[in-house]
C-alpha cells in the first residue's frame, strides 16, 4: 500500500510545481523570484523526505540565498518588469 | 487564462501519474529494500578499521571526497573557472577600484531600520555558527565544505543587504582579501590531495593513508573557505552599481 511519506512527497512536490508555474507566468521579476524561492523550499522538503540531508543543506542555501541574491543583482542592472507580448 | 489553468492542471496530473507508476507500481525497478553490491561496499568500508576505509561514519562525504574524489576536485576547478571568468569580465584595475569606491562613498547613504540591523546581527552570528558546524563536522554528520560554504555566503549577503556593501568594504572585506582567502582554501585542498604522494608514497587523493580523518577534515575546511570566499568575490564585484561602472567606462573612453 502507499506509504505515508510517499504521499507527503507527492503533495510537497506538487506544491513546488504550482509555484514554479506561477513564477514562470509572473511579469514582475522580483515577485517571480520570491515565488521561485518558495518553490525551492518545497523541493528542499522533498529532498528531506527522500533522505538526502546533504542535498537539503546545499539546495536551501543556494536556491533561497545565493541564487536569489545573484538574480536580484542582475535585475538591479536591468528593469524590474517584463514587457512584451 | 483558461488555457494556462488547463496546462498547469495537465502537468500536475501527469506528474502525479508518473509518481504513482514509479513508486507504487515500481515500473523502473528502483524500489525494493535490498542493497546493491556497490552500496554494500561503501557502507561496509567507509567506517572500517582496515582496508579501503576513509575513517568516516558519514558515507556521503566519504564518497564525495574519497571514493569519488576526482569528481569533486574537478567540480572545485569548474567553480574556480566560473569565478575567474566573472572576475575577468568585470575586472577593474587599482585606480578604477579607488574611483569606484569614491563614487559609492558619495552616494546618499540610506540607513536601514534599527530593528532590521539588530535582528540581522543576531541571525548572522547564528548562521555563521551553523555553517561552521556543517562544514567542520562534515565527516561526522550530514553536510560538508560546499554546504557550509554556501550557508556562510548567505550570512555575508544578509550583511550586504542590511548594512550596505560600502560599510563592509570599509571594515576590511575588500576584493583583495576575499581573493586571498579563496586562494588559501584552494591551496589547502591541493596540499591535502598531494600529501599522500609526498609523505607516504601513495597516489594522488589517496587520503586514507593520512592518519585518522585528517584528510576528509582538511578537504572540508579547504572547500568551506574556497566556496565562502569564492561566492563573496562574485558578490563584491557584481554589487558595484551599474552607474558606477558606466562612469568608469566613460572616463576610460575620455582618456
Amino acid at each position: 500500500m502507499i506509504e505515508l511519506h510517499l504521499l507527503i512527497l507527492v503533495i510537497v512536490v506538487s506544491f513546488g510545481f504550482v509555484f514554479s508555474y506561477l513564477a514562470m507566468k509572473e511579469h514582475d521579476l522580483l515577485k517571480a523570484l520570491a515565488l521561485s524561492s518558495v518553490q525551492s523550499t518545497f523541493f528542499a522538503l522533498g529532498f528531506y523526505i527522500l533522505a538526502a540531508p546533504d542535498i537539503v543543506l546545499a539546495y536551501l542555501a543556494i536556491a533561497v540565498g545565493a541564487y536569489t541574491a545573484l538574480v536580484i543583482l542582475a535585475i538591479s542592472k536591468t528593469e524590474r518588469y517584463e514587457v512584451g507580448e | 487564462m483558461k488555457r494556462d489553468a488547463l496546462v498547469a492542471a495537465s502537468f500536475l496530473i501527469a506528474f502525479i501519474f508518473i509518481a504513482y507508476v514509479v513508486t507504487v507500481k515500481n515500473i523502473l525497478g528502483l524500489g525494493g529494500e535490498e542493497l546493491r553490491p556497490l552500496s554494500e561496499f561503501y557502507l561496509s568500508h567507509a567506517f572500517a578499521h582496515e582496508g579501503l576505509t576513509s575513517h568516516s561514519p558519514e558515507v556521503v562525504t566519504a564518497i564525495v571526497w574519497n571514493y569519488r574524489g576526482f569528481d569533486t576536485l574537478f567540480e572545485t576547478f569548474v567553480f574556480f573557472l566560473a569565478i575567474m571568468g566573472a572576475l575577468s569580465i568585470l575586472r577593474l584595475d587599482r585606480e578604477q577600484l579607488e574611483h569606484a569606491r569614491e563614487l559609492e562613498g558619495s552616494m546618499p547613504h540610506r540607513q536601514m531600520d534599527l530593528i532590521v540591523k539588530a535582528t540581522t546581527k543576531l541571525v548572522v552570528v547564528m548562521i555563521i555558527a551553523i555553517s561552521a558546524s556543517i562544514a567542520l563536522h562534515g565527516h561526522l554528520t550530514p553536510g560538508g565544505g560546499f554546504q557550509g560554504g554556501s550557508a556562510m555566503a548567505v550570512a555575508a549577503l544578509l550583511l550586504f543587504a542590511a548594512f550596505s556593501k560600502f560599510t563592509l568594504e570599509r571594515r576590511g572585506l575588500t576584493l583583495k582579501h576575499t581573493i586571498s582567502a579563496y586562494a588559501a582554501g584552494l591551496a589547502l585542498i591541493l596540499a591535502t590531495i598531494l600529501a599522500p604522494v609526498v609523505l607516504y608514497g601513495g597516489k594522488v587523493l589517496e587520503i586514507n593513508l593520512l592518519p585518522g580523518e585528517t584528510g576528509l577534515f582538511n578537504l572540508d575546511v579547504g572547500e568551506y573557505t574556497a566556496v565562502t570566499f569564492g561566492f563573496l568575490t562574485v558578490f563584491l564585484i557584481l554589487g558595484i552599481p551599474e552607474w558606477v561602472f558606466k562612469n568608469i567606462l566613460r572616463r576610460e573612453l575620455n582618456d
Side-chain angles (χ1 to χ4, degrees):
Chain A
M1 211 32 234
I2 302 179
E3 291 162 63
L4 186 64
H5 68 276
L6 289 180
L7 203 64
I8 299 174
L9 182 66
V10 167
I11 293 169
V12 163
V13 180
S14 324
F15 269 119
F17 274 145
V18 169
F19 274 99
S20 66
Y21 185 76
L22 288 176
M24 278 195 293
K25 296 307 286 183
E26 182 62 57
H27 285 289
D28 183 345
L29 293 180
L30 284 180
K31 269 188 198 167
L33 198 57
L35 288 170
S36 112
S37 52
V38 174
Q39 172 251 324
S40 346
T41 314
F42 279 118
F43 277 13
L45 272 174
F47 279 126
Y48 184 73
I49 295 166
L50 287 171
D54 295 79
I55 308 288
V56 175
L57 291 170
Y59 189 79
L60 265 183
I62 296 283
V64 181
Y67 169 74
T68 311
L70 269 179
V71 178
I72 284 179
L73 284 176
I75 290 174
S76 80
K77 287 176 190 284
T78 62
E79 283 164 16
R80 182 174 162 180
Y81 294 97
E82 192 182 349
V83 284
E85 252 194 291
Chain B
M1 197 62 219
K2 202 175 170 192
R3 209 188 69 201
D4 287 353
L6 221 66
V7 171
S10 53
F11 264 114
L12 208 60
I13 289 168
F15 161 70
I16 289 175
F17 174 72
I18 293 170
Y20 176 77
V21 167
V22 168
T23 53
V24 180
K25 295 284 174 200
N26 199 9
I27 199 165
L28 293 179
L30 294 172
E33 295 290 315
E34 76 278 4
L35 281 178
R36 269 165 253 193
L38 186 63
S39 37
E40 222 173 272
F41 172 83
Y42 288 144
L43 287 175
S44 58
H45 281 72
F47 194 44
H49 290 291
E50 55 202 357
L52 297 168
T53 173
S54 40
H55 314 281
S56 160
E58 228 279 282
V59 183
V60 176
T61 307
I63 292 172
V64 161
W65 270 119
N66 196 356
Y67 299 119
R68 290 281 175 273
F70 278 107
D71 282 11
T72 318
L73 189 62
F74 289 127
E75 235 171 71
T76 309
F77 288 158
V78 169
F79 190 65
F80 172 75
L81 281 179
I83 284 164
M84 287 303 121
L87 268 182
S88 53
I89 287 174
L90 301 168
R91 74 176 179 282
L92 299 171
D93 59 26
R94 187 169 301 177
E95 209 175 298
Q96 286 169 331
L97 263 180
E98 271 318 301
H99 187 56
R101 199 163 304 156
E102 267 170 37
L103 283 177
E104 277 176 27
S106 71
M107 258 194 318
H109 197 58
R110 273 175 299 178
Q111 291 271 344
M112 272 281 187
D113 203 21
L114 180 69
I115 300 172
V116 175
K117 279 185 166 176
T119 323
T120 310
K121 275 181 196 162
L122 277 177
V123 170
V124 162
V125 171
M126 286 193 266
I127 294 180
I128 289 176
I130 287 174
S131 77
S133 89
I134 291 174
L136 305 182
H137 276 186
H139 56 295
L140 301 176
T141 51
F146 189 78
Q147 288 89 333
S150 39
M152 182 82 168
V154 170
L157 277 175
L158 271 182
L159 284 180
F160 275 19
F163 292 92
S164 90
K165 184 166 96 54
F166 184 67
T167 317
L168 287 183
E169 282 187 331
R170 225 179 29 208
R171 292 281 168 86
L173 192 83
T174 55
L175 205 58
K176 204 168 73 184
H177 291 153
T178 56
I179 294 178
S180 317
Y182 183 42
L186 287 181
L188 183 59
I189 292 178
L190 280 182
T192 313
I193 63 164
L194 290 179
V197 183
V198 179
L199 296 179
Y200 300 92
K203 296 188 190 96
V204 174
L205 245 174
E206 205 174 358
I207 51 173
N208 38 7
L209 291 178
L210 299 174
E213 69 264 25
T214 354
L216 280 182
F217 181 74
N218 279 358
L219 287 171
D220 268 345
V221 172
E223 180 85 355
Y224 179 44
T225 328
V227 170
T228 306
F229 288 102
F231 270 128
L232 270 182
T233 310
V234 171
F235 289 135
L236 276 179
I237 196 108
L238 273 180
I240 298 175
E242 192 65 16
W243 64 271
V244 174
F245 258 117
K246 276 183 185 154
N247 204 313
I248 290 170
L249 285 179
R250 209 169 290 137
R251 211 164 93 150
E252 208 173 48
L253 276 179
N254 289 339
D255 281 352

